[in-house]
Amino acid sequence: MTDMMNVLIGTENYTMRDLQGWDERIRELADGFGLDCFRQDFEICDHDHMIGFMAYSGMPSHYPHWSYGKAYEKQKTLYDHGVSGLPYEMVINSDPALAYLMKNNTLLLQVLTMAHVYGHNDFFKRNLTFRHSEPQQTIGRFKSAAGRIRGYKELHGELEVESFLDAAHSLSHNRNPYLDRKRLSREDQMARVRDRFYDAHKDQYPNLHAVARVDPEALKESLRKHPLEPDPDILLFIAEENPLLTDWQRDILYIVDQEARYFMPQIRTKIMNEGWASYWHNRILRALDLPPAMWLEFSQRHSGVLRPHPGGLNPYHVGYSLWEAIHVYYDGMIDESRLNPDTFEPQLFISLKKDFEECDLVPPDAGKATGDEKIFAVREEGDDRTFIERFLSRRMVQELGLFRYDEKDEGDHYDLIVTDTGNDDGWKNVRDELARSTGIGAQPVIRVVEAGFKGNVLVLEHEDDGYPLELEYAKETVKHLRTLWMRPVIVNTIIDGEPKQVAQYKVDEEVRVRDQSK
Amino acid sequence: MVDSHSLTMEVIQMEQSIFRNPTHTNAGRSDRTAGDRRRHREKVREAIHGNIADIISDESIIGQRGDKIVRVPLRGVREYRFIRGKPGSGVSQGDGDVGEGQVVGKVKKPGEGGDGDKAGTQPGEDYYETDVTLDELLDIVFEDLELPDMDKKKLRMVETKTAPKRLGYRRSGPETHRDMRRTAIERLRRFGARKRALPKLEEIVMKKTLDILHSQADIENQRRAAYKAREAGDRAQVTEHFRLAHLAVLETRRLRVAAAPLRTRLAKLYEVMPLSEVGPKYREYIRKNPKDGGRFPFENDDLRYKKHVTRPKMESNAVVICIMDTSGSMDTMKKYFARMFFFLLYSFIQRRYSQVEVVFVAHTTESKEVTEQEFFFKGESGGTYISSGYQRALDIIEDRYHPDLWNIYAFHCSDGDNFDNDNKKAVGTANALLDICNLFGYVEIKPKGSRYFEGSMIKTFEKLLGKRRNFHALSIESKDEVWPQLSSILKEDERRHS
């Protein structure tokens, strides 16, 4: 075994022992900077395995489904045609955290990856969004789910299980994205309805108004509703409330929902998380005292990671720039003896200070906390939405080249028309749109509003956020909903300003779109 | 406002990281994506199958060459979710020169030019259709169809291509065909043979060695005898003994040469690979690990390859007669349907029965045999005598395709708007065709919305010919029906047998 440590990895001139040496130095630095990580496991893999891991989101064990084969083929095609390279890093939120290092990468790339991975690791452990993600159980849970689903396939037939999985997958994103919000039991919900009812009728100015009374009929009506409150967890609701499901079908719903739950924090913190990891790989590698050749390669790779994606949005770039801005700004605001001279950039600070003042973003704790203190506090606090709302200023909008666009109907196509850029007051619209549409923000909110009445019809409501549903997709998804509920399904939505229903009553029936009043 | 608890710097050292290199210990781990990729490919194929009617009713494929690329929508492999529709809005990064009001991109509308339900560029999904060549597509389309009721006719047989089949193994071949299981068995067999050969060979070699030793002893004895004779002064004896000694030397040499290969073989058996035969690195390795000296490597003789043979399948010879009404009442739409029908039929025959002959007949009130090119691309006008087309077919058959020797298939596409005075004759000739054809198909094309007072032959034919087993009357109302109707005829055989 000890001999293995000295065997060269891939075609590059380094061994496992070399990697361990670098890792030790990186860990020491990360420790010194104050990063707080789970134990980190690294696994060496080749590029084929890497594509495989990507298809299964990095999970060493995952249940089989054709969609992962599709993801693999797509990745491989892109990679083989040179459209996209492979990611340098792939790390999963588990305790211990697991990351992959690709053979044949240069030594610098491995060092960069390791440093980057420690940034993610710290974020997984300390960010509030991830607090309830139960990382100790991640790998075991995926493994157990894989075993169970394989078993169901043997028992009930591949196709049977596959079509049920297809249906469950199509609704997996329609769940509550906040892991810390507990799913309430019916009793708890009833208590809440009662409270709300009495609160609403509590009159703060009884002297001014005629006395309002709780209408017992209305309360009765409200308590009879099922669900009591609109339920965003569609899969869980079906699993709990559909008595026609067999055990294995119910279990599949829980499995698929669990997996979606695992990904929610990552979706919600993409910009923060990638930015944080990039920010720390930069600081760690700067502190590593790299030999000149490696330094040169690092500068090149680093700017590659942080280059803007015109026509898209590079979360690494946006996140990194914001973290850096926060750090420099806070360091600049405190007295000079406490700031970190290694990372402080006076030029940047001056323009940031002006910018924060002009944009009315000056935080109350400016001048009290150092840059380090502040970024560690912020990394603990929120998700992308709050992060952007709090710290994206006009200067950053301009610097990142961000703009807001509208899709305008032009007959046979839509034009993407720029509505706001970082100039004048437009930056606020850009910031708000980004905060609103980032992560799960782009996901239509659809909740279960009624079930069990009128011939066991499941009624869902699409919250009107000004964006219509993609109708063809909605129709197909309603079919999947019908499969899971096993009885008629109706989705209320707005199409061209008119309230409409997308409904399927019988299996194999066309999905119909009609006026809601009917 | 800074959270105080986050400022307490961790004093506890981070746990030691662990590095694993599983590929090193477990070379070539199984490919975990294999199953899911296989299922995905199956679904792609299924999706193509499910869309066939849609795809091939597309105007653009008629008369096209096989290498034309056809775009096939793959609905089965799309993953549907509730997603935002258009028009929407968003935030994007630019190169810094973006100004308000500027158009920075275009998104195609879904279903442009279609009925709004057809696939278009959908958001969130970038991979939902695939490009295949017309050839590949038709291969899939015609996968499980064949000409029905093919009889064995007396004379000529035609070859139809069949896919190569596995048949046994051979000692050389392309590396991709190497059968490792078979090769491993060969190696074991050779190993066993050597083991069994060892005792016997030892005995033989021992015997030969004894012979050599005897022969060597003989040399010695003769020489000694010669020396004795010299001392005794017997010259003749000296010469005689030296002669015998010389003969013994020759004999020994002969025995040695004869035994040499056997001894080498034995040596090989003892020490499977003599050190002199391996490279310096391996010799060094053996020196350090003497136990490993007994390895028994694969040799070229062990390699076995799968053998594939293509056995031509013999079919009876057959002719397909395509008869098309090209009269004035056959408007563009009808002609298009008819051509689509014949194009599919023709492509099918070309693909599956390379030796089957195809005859094209076009008729108005008169008929003539035409070339493929004329048949598919030339328009005509005039009245309609269906019987003229049938008569031409009968003439051609009498001329060139004797029913005793040929399987005959006739298909006729018309709008059924025949001149009344021809109906009787038409039924008569159709009857005559049915007497000699394996199958006669009458396809009446009545697109929806065509004038209802137009005549129809389908009833007349069905009344008079409906009982004949080899008669098929079909009607096609829309382009979606062309393929199902054609395939129903070609599947007929299957149904009848099952």
Side-chain angles (χ1 to χ4, degrees):
Chain A
M1 190 61 211
T2 44
D3 277 335
M4 292 295 176
M5 301 304 294
N6 289 325
V7 171
L8 292 184
I9 295 172
T11 53
E12 297 292 326
N13 203 16
Y14 55 82
T15 64
M16 198 80 125
R17 197 177 298 287
D18 293 334
L19 288 183
Q20 267 190 333
W22 282 101
D23 172 67
E24 230 144 87
R25 290 178 59 195
I26 292 168
R27 205 148 25 87
E28 218 164 85
L29 283 167
D31 224 7
F33 284 132
L35 293 178
D36 174 21
C37 300
F38 296 123
R39 189 187 92 202
Q40 180 66 52
D41 289 4
F42 289 104
E43 205 167 301
I44 312 284
C45 69
D46 62 23
H47 76 275
D48 260 341
H49 286 129
M50 195 64 166
I51 300 176
F53 286 129
M54 282 167 73
Y56 297 98
S57 320
M59 286 303 154
S61 169
H62 197 284
Y63 63 79
H65 185 257
W66 60 268
S67 55
Y68 306 110
K70 175 178 154 184
Y72 179 92
E73 299 287 1
K74 189 174 148 190
Q75 265 316 325
K76 184 140 178 66
T77 313
L78 292 179
Y79 176 71
D80 287 350
H81 290 84
V83 180
S84 79
L86 287 172
Y88 306 135
E89 42 101 21
M90 166 84 86
V91 53
I92 64 176
N93 168 27
S94 62
D95 177 15
L98 177 57
Y100 300 96
L101 296 175
M102 202 158 49
K103 255 186 207 174
N104 301 343
N105 273 349
T106 58
L107 179 58
L108 179 271
L109 215 41
Q110 306 290 32
V111 172
L112 175 65
T113 305
M114 287 190 280
H116 189 88
V117 159
Y118 280 111
H120 281 308
N121 190 333
D122 166 82
F123 198 84
F124 288 150
K125 189 171 177 186
R126 295 301 293 265
N127 182 267
L128 206 61
T129 324
F130 286 87
R131 183 129 315 166
H132 297 270
S133 63
E134 294 151 17
Q136 300 82 3
Q137 285 146 36
T138 306
I139 289 178
R141 214 163 39 212
F142 274 84
K143 211 169 176 175
S144 146
R148 265 139 68 208
I149 287 188
R150 286 206 177 87
Y152 299 146
K153 283 197 166 175
E154 281 166 12
L155 265 175
H156 308 289
E158 291 244 357
L159 291 182
E160 184 98 348
V161 173
E162 181 189 285
S163 60
F164 203 78
L165 270 174
D166 286 351
H169 281 183
S170 78
L171 292 151
S172 63
H173 285 183
N174 295 100
R175 86 180 304 288
N176 163 28
Y178 307 103
L179 304 195
D180 46 350
R181 283 190 202 162
K182 243 178 106 183
R183 200 172 153 71
L184 294 178
S185 67
R186 193 167 165 83
E187 283 70 37
D188 292 341
Q189 283 187 47
M190 277 170 100
R192 257 170 64 153
V193 170
R194 257 183 231 112
D195 286 352
R196 201 161 351 116
F197 225 86
Y198 288 112
D199 279 352
H201 290 81
K202 213 180 269 171
D203 201 328
Q204 294 190 15
Y205 308 102
N207 297 339
L208 295 176
H209 302 145
V211 179
R213 281 211 186 135
V214 173
D215 176 3
E217 280 305 308
L219 178 61
K220 206 160 98 190
E221 194 64 21
S222 300
L223 286 174
R224 263 189 193 164
K225 266 193 175 168
H226 186 64
L228 285 165
E229 296 165 322
D231 194 337
D233 299 326
I234 298 182
L235 290 182
L236 290 179
F237 182 84
I238 293 175
E240 286 160 11
E241 303 291 337
N242 183 0
L244 303 178
L245 289 173
T246 58
D247 284 351
W248 68 266
Q249 288 171 327
R250 189 165 292 119
D251 191 30
I252 282 184
L253 294 183
Y254 284 127
I255 288 172
V256 172
D257 182 72
Q258 265 299 341
E259 180 161 339
R261 184 178 189 275
Y262 167 81
F263 286 114
M264 282 303 161
Q266 321 216 1
I267 297 172
R268 281 177 57 202
T269 57
K270 183 84 181 159
I271 293 174
M272 272 179 105
N273 198 350
E274 292 299 358
W276 183 253
S278 304
Y279 181 77
W280 283 107
H281 82 222
N282 186 35
R283 273 186 67 177
I284 290 172
L285 263 78
R286 273 167 199 280
L288 266 179
D289 226 359
L290 295 170
M294 282 176 87
W295 179 254
L296 203 68
E297 195 191 338
F298 166 64
S299 328
Q300 208 180 338
R301 296 284 186 194
H302 182 62
S303 58
V305 171
L306 298 185
R307 73 175 196 285
H309 291 171
L313 197 79
N314 182 357
Y316 295 79
H317 185 202
V318 177
Y320 175 88
S321 309
L322 285 177
W323 285 116
E324 194 188 25
I326 297 170
H327 193 271
V328 169
Y329 177 73
Y330 271 81
D331 256 6
M333 295 297 280
I334 51 170
D335 59 78
E336 232 168 287
S337 61
R338 285 171 69 202
L339 67 76
N340 184 343
D342 295 342
T343 52
F344 189 65
E345 288 171 44
Q347 287 294 326
L348 180 61
F349 169 69
I350 291 163
S351 68
L352 276 172
K353 184 166 185 289
K354 194 169 144 235
D355 192 39
F356 268 62
E357 275 157 17
E358 280 174 10
C359 294
D360 204 16
L361 280 175
V362 179
D365 59 346
K368 291 175 197 146
T370 64
D372 271 349
E373 286 166 352
K374 185 63 186 176
I375 58 171
F376 277 107
V378 171
R379 76 99 152 71
E380 205 141 326
E381 278 162 4
D383 61 1
D384 283 350
R385 191 182 178 129
T386 53
F387 187 56
I388 287 161
E389 276 171 354
R390 284 166 71 191
F391 299 111
L392 190 67
S393 61
R394 180 160 70 191
R395 185 178 185 281
M396 296 316 288
V397 170
Q398 286 167 355
E399 194 140 290
L400 293 166
L402 296 176
F403 62 86
R404 182 189 179 282
Y405 63 86
D406 267 340
E407 286 162 358
K408 194 168 163 241
D409 200 336
E410 286 289 334
D412 62 337
H413 67 275
Y414 295 102
D415 271 344
L416 305 187
I417 295 180
V418 178
T419 54
D420 296 290
T421 62
N423 300 326
D424 308 325
D425 272 348
W427 71 272
K428 267 189 184 166
N429 293 337
V430 178
R431 178 192 68 184
D432 294 348
E433 177 75 29
L434 182 59
R436 199 165 69 106
S437 66
T438 181
I440 41 146
Q443 170 74 29
V445 178
I446 293 176
R447 291 180 295 193
V448 181
V449 290
E450 196 179 314
F453 291 107
K454 293 179 192 163
N456 284 334
V457 183
L458 183 72
V459 185
L460 298 99
E461 199 156 79
H462 170 219
E463 190 179 273
D464 183 20
D465 56 355
Y467 298 102
L469 286 181
E470 168 58 51
L471 199 58
E472 197 202 339
Y473 272 60
K475 281 179 177 173
E476 294 296 324
T477 315
V478 164
K479 279 188 197 163
H480 286 317
L481 257 172
R482 174 76 183 70
T483 308
L484 299 181
W485 185 244
M486 299 168 172
R487 282 160 293 168
V489 167
I490 296 174
V491 176
N492 292 327
T493 182
I494 308 273
I495 299 171
D496 296 331
E498 299 283 325
K500 297 269 186 189
Q501 290 186 338
V502 185
Q504 192 187 27
Y505 290 90
K506 287 182 184 145
V507 188
D508 301 330
E509 206 182 50
E510 274 290 294
V511 176
R512 280 179 287 178
V513 180
R514 50 179 207 182
D515 294 341
Q516 255 184 37
S517 52
K518 276 186 194 169
Chain B
M1 289 292 281
V2 177
D3 288 357
S4 57
H5 67 268
S6 68
L7 301 182
T8 53
M9 290 286 168
E10 299 291 322
V11 223
I12 314 153
Q13 276 273 315
M14 273 188 232
E15 241 182 296
Q16 176 90 33
S17 311
I18 289 184
F19 281 76
R20 281 191 296 267
N21 191 356
T23 42
H24 219 294
T25 49
N26 188 3
R29 276 187 306 178
S30 67
D31 180 5
R32 60 198 292 244
T33 56
D36 288 342
R37 283 189 288 143
R38 178 189 49 76
R39 181 74 189 110
H40 172 239
R41 275 197 299 275
E42 263 172 38
K43 284 191 74 87
V44 169
R45 210 173 162 81
E46 275 168 27
I48 293 178
H49 250 298
N51 277 303
I52 278 170
D54 264 6
I55 302 157
I56 59 181
S57 59
D58 192 50
E59 290 81 352
S60 56
I61 73 161
I62 294 181
Q64 290 292 344
R65 287 173 23 174
D67 51 7
K68 180 190 160 67
I69 303 278
V70 187
R71 180 152 282 200
V72 184
L74 298 176
R75 292 198 189 181
V77 293
R78 267 203 242 169
E79 292 159 272
Y80 294 97
R81 290 176 179 281
F82 286 120
I83 52 170
R84 267 191 195 171
K86 304 234 169 268
S89 59
V91 172
S92 199
Q93 266 181 304
D95 49 13
D97 292 336
V98 178
E100 277 139 59
Q102 188 181 334
V103 177
V104 286
K106 273 181 189 174
V107 187
K108 251 190 167 170
K109 258 192 185 176
E112 199 36 50
D115 51 4
D117 198 39
K118 285 262 154 58
T121 311
Q122 295 295 349
E125 192 73 27
D126 31 8
Y127 169 66
Y128 58 92
E129 50 184 31
T130 183
D131 291 337
V132 294
T133 63
L134 190 55
D135 267 335
E136 285 173 281
L137 184 70
L138 291 174
D139 275 342
I140 299 174
V141 171
F142 298 136
E143 209 167 43
D144 35 42
L145 300 179
E146 46 187 68
L147 281 176
D149 295 327
M150 186 83 98
D151 294 331
K152 287 215 168 75
K153 296 280 172 167
K154 282 170 211 149
L155 261 182
R156 210 176 79 186
M157 301 281 272
V158 295
E159 278 182 15
T160 54
K161 255 191 238 161
T162 45
K165 276 193 178 145
R166 279 272 320 278
L167 187 89
Y169 302 91
R170 51 181 180 166
R171 282 166 174 269
S172 61
E175 285 305 303
T176 44
H177 287 185
R178 189 162 74 205
D179 189 300
M180 273 323 290
R181 188 165 168 272
R182 212 52 216 199
T183 304
I185 288 173
E186 286 303 321
R187 176 184 159 277
L188 282 178
R189 194 176 275 170
R190 191 163 51 85
F191 185 66
R194 283 209 175 171
K195 258 168 106 177
R196 278 193 303 282
L198 187 62
K200 213 173 157 193
L201 194 66
E202 269 178 335
E203 198 184 313
I204 296 171
V205 170
M206 196 68 82
K207 222 169 124 196
K208 298 242 167 188
T209 315
L210 273 178
D211 285 352
I212 293 169
L213 287 176
H214 281 308
S215 184
Q216 278 175 337
D218 208 23
I219 300 171
E220 229 23 56
N221 290 339
Q222 292 300 342
R223 282 186 181 154
R224 253 182 229 141
Y227 296 146
K228 264 185 192 162
R230 193 189 283 162
E231 279 166 21
D234 189 346
R235 279 195 135 219
Q237 276 296 324
V238 172
T239 326
E240 177 59 16
H241 282 299
F242 270 123
R243 198 181 61 81
L244 285 174
H246 181 63
L247 283 180
V249 168
L250 292 181
E251 175 65 8
T252 313
R253 198 175 293 162
R254 192 187 63 78
L255 285 172
R256 274 226 174 99
V257 171
L262 289 173
R263 296 176 104 175
T264 324
R265 257 175 76 187
L266 189 65
K268 268 197 177 173
L269 287 182
Y270 279 140
E271 180 188 324
V272 173
M273 208 171 196
L275 285 183
S276 57
E277 276 186 39
V278 299
K281 258 193 185 166
Y282 186 63
R283 213 176 302 159
E284 180 69 6
Y285 173 76
I286 297 276
R287 203 175 54 72
K288 280 186 187 157
N289 307 280
K291 272 187 186 167
D292 279 0
R295 67 175 207 138
F296 194 80
F298 283 97
E299 283 181 5
N300 280 343
D301 280 354
D302 297 334
L303 300 182
R304 289 295 180 278
Y305 299 84
K306 288 179 190 123
K307 191 168 149 196
H308 293 89
V309 288
T310 321
R311 285 224 178 111
K313 194 174 141 201
M314 300 304 275
E315 297 273 11
S316 302
N317 44 347
V319 58
V320 176
I321 302 174
C322 304
I323 311 163
M324 184 161 67
D325 182 352
T326 54
S327 63
S329 64
M330 288 286 284
D331 57 25
T332 330
M333 178 71 96
K334 291 177 186 170
K335 272 195 194 119
Y336 159 55
F337 286 4
R339 280 175 176 152
M340 186 149 78
F341 180 87
F342 283 123
F343 174 72
L344 290 173
L345 180 70
Y346 181 51
S347 313
F348 164 67
I349 290 164
Q350 267 193 327
R351 204 154 291 270
R352 291 289 290 275
Y353 304 87
S354 52
Q355 307 288 329
V356 168
E357 299 195 12
V358 183
V359 174
F360 298 103
V361 174
H363 77 84
T364 54
T365 51
E366 288 174 356
S367 63
K368 60 177 172 195
E369 193 182 339
V370 295
T371 64
E372 176 195 335
Q373 187 68 19
E374 289 167 330
F375 187 79
F376 282 115
F377 296 105
K378 231 168 141 183
E380 267 176 73
S381 62
T384 315
Y385 281 156
I386 287 180
S387 66
S388 75
Y390 295 174
Q391 191 55 53
R392 176 70 59 190
L394 286 168
D395 292 347
I396 291 170
I397 292 167
E398 196 180 281
D399 216 21
R400 304 187 332 233
Y401 305 104
H402 194 283
D404 282 353
L405 310 180
W406 292 81
N407 286 294
I408 300 169
Y409 298 84
F411 292 93
H412 178 217
C413 274
S414 167
D415 58 354
D417 199 8
N418 200 23
F419 286 172
D420 288 347
N421 58 3
D422 184 58
N423 281 1
K424 208 172 159 199
K425 207 176 161 199
V427 174
T429 42
N431 241 323
L433 270 175
L434 280 165
D435 287 339
I436 52 174
C437 287
N438 298 46
L439 185 141
F440 172 57
Y442 172 70
V443 182
E444 189 159 291
I445 294 166
K446 289 271 180 218
K448 275 178 198 152
S450 64
R451 289 160 294 163
Y452 66 92
F453 50 82
E454 278 180 353
S456 166
M457 288 298 287
I458 211 159
K459 284 200 181 114
T460 323
F461 274 145
E462 264 189 343
K463 207 157 80 189
L464 296 167
L465 307 170
K467 280 184 195 139
R468 304 204 57 154
R469 200 177 138 271
N470 54 347
F471 177 72
H472 291 271
L474 308 169
S475 83
I476 292 176
E477 287 185 354
S478 68
K479 66 178 186 178
D480 299 348
E481 285 176 17
V482 175
W483 171 247
Q485 293 286 33
L486 175 61
S487 61
S488 76
I489 297 184
L490 299 178
K491 275 179 185 151
E492 186 77 1
D493 203 30
E494 220 170 84
R495 241 180 291 141
R496 202 170 289 158
H497 289 309
S498 59

